[in-house]
Amino acid sequence: MPRLLRELSCANPAARLLRPTLCLPRSAQSPWRFGTGPPRSHWSHTTDILLSEVEFVAYLDAYLWPLPHAVVFHQGPPALSCSQMSATMGQCYYNETIGFFYNNSGKELSFHWRPKDVVVVALGLTVSVLVLLTNLLIIAAIASNRRFHQPIYYLLGNLAAADLFAGVAYLFLMFHTGPRTARLSIKGWFLRQGLLDTSLTASVATLLAIAVERHRSVMAVQLHSQLPRGRVVTLIVGVWVAALGLGLLPAHFWHCLCALDHCSRMVPLFHRSYLAAWALSSLLVFLLMVAVYTRIFFYVRRRVQRMAEHVSCHPRYRETTLSLVKTVVIILGAFVVCWTPGQVVLLLDGLDCKSCNVLAVEKYFLLLAEANSLVNAVVYSCRDAEMRRTFRRLLCCGCLRWPTHKSAHYTASARTSASTRIILPGNGHPLMDSTL
């Protein structure tokens, strides 16, 4: 009976499926001790003898059973080595240091405080503290004043909460940047970036939610105080679900730990496609805001002109239109100034622009995006006359007492403030009773 069937590799899975087999060492001159099995080096041969069951029994009868020692054979090939596994599947680098990924992306990792690091941290700490104080004041004003317990102010409060979260996240970044970055673990690094991404996403998404809700109220000629609470709460929940999803994706899925060729230069552990997706989503939010506020503007202007044709011309109409134009320009202008530079460099890095020196400006553009959390407080809340009076009352800790006649004058002026309301007297319905 011929003993040699065919010569195949022990590591070949197709060979093991043909019949029950055992791979034995090819070289008879390489002695190995029975009872312990062949040395590991024997299994590394690229070619071994593949025996059938009948031939294996004959082999035992002829050579092994006369020996007094127990015989133990290792059936099947051993586990693949690291190099073999790397060849068959993508290798992941979960146990590497942060410096490994920074070197891979070509981003400099400093081990001492440089002048530009000190400047960035000083500016970042200043902006973070201002963001925290301002948005804490807004949240306290909304909670303490019953006039603000309305659905539209829930969204303004959520915007303040998202910006407050952004201030905390950026403050955490400032305490873990510069030379401290090299001491971070991979989980700590993902935590630092995840907090920042989640907070900024929540802030941007809330801006879109406010624009959508204002559009619905204007088109329905509906007071903000009469907005359905359930709809506003649903918007808020949707904002945070989207923010948490985008913030957690890189740490669990959308990273480059198993694909070093796709690592970002600005964020060395993130996949470039994530940066491109985040930049495009922010651009989409901006375009939607432009569309929404543009439609609001033309709708209100058309209604004001229609009312002016039926009643005597009043300076109020022109004042209303100019106020609306100013509000829309401020809202969209603040978003463009604060977010466009960062979105551009994120998109360039996500598209792997080799000639673009994105690392030279990325820290300053991130600081500008964080400053948007301070600008939001001014644009959306501080322009409200009643909100400003609430701020003064809170900052004075109750020491300021408003006389009765001043309070009455304030109430009357608040109802007719051109900068905060748009009134269409033709049908008696105000389009809005708070800031655009």
Side-chain angles (χ1 to χ4, degrees), residues 58-74:
Y59 180 83
L60 294 178
D61 291 336
Y63 295 101
L64 302 182
W65 293 134
L67 297 177
H69 302 287
V71 179
V72 179
F73 290 95
H74 296 277

Side-chain angles (χ1 to χ4, degrees), residues 335-410:
F335 192 92
V336 169
V337 171
C338 294
W339 280 105
T340 301
Q343 291 172 1
V344 170
V345 295
L346 283 176
L347 188 59
L348 291 176
D349 192 16
L351 297 177
D352 195 22
C353 177
K354 299 294 186 182
S355 61
C356 305
N357 190 13
V358 295
L359 296 179
V361 295
E362 51 113 4
K363 292 183 181 295
Y364 303 102
F365 287 171
L366 177 60
L367 180 62
L368 187 60
E370 176 62 26
N372 183 248
S373 297
L374 183 61
V375 175
N376 287 340
V378 177
V379 172
Y380 287 86
S381 297
C382 297
R383 296 178 66 242
D384 191 308
E386 187 172 355
M387 186 73 75
R388 293 196 299 269
R389 283 180 166 81
T390 307
F391 290 162
R392 287 195 291 268
R393 180 175 58 81
L394 290 174
L395 293 175
C396 290
C397 300
C399 63
L400 184 60
R401 295 290 183 266
W402 293 95
T404 306
H405 68 279
K406 286 188 177 182
S407 178
H409 174 72
Y410 151 69

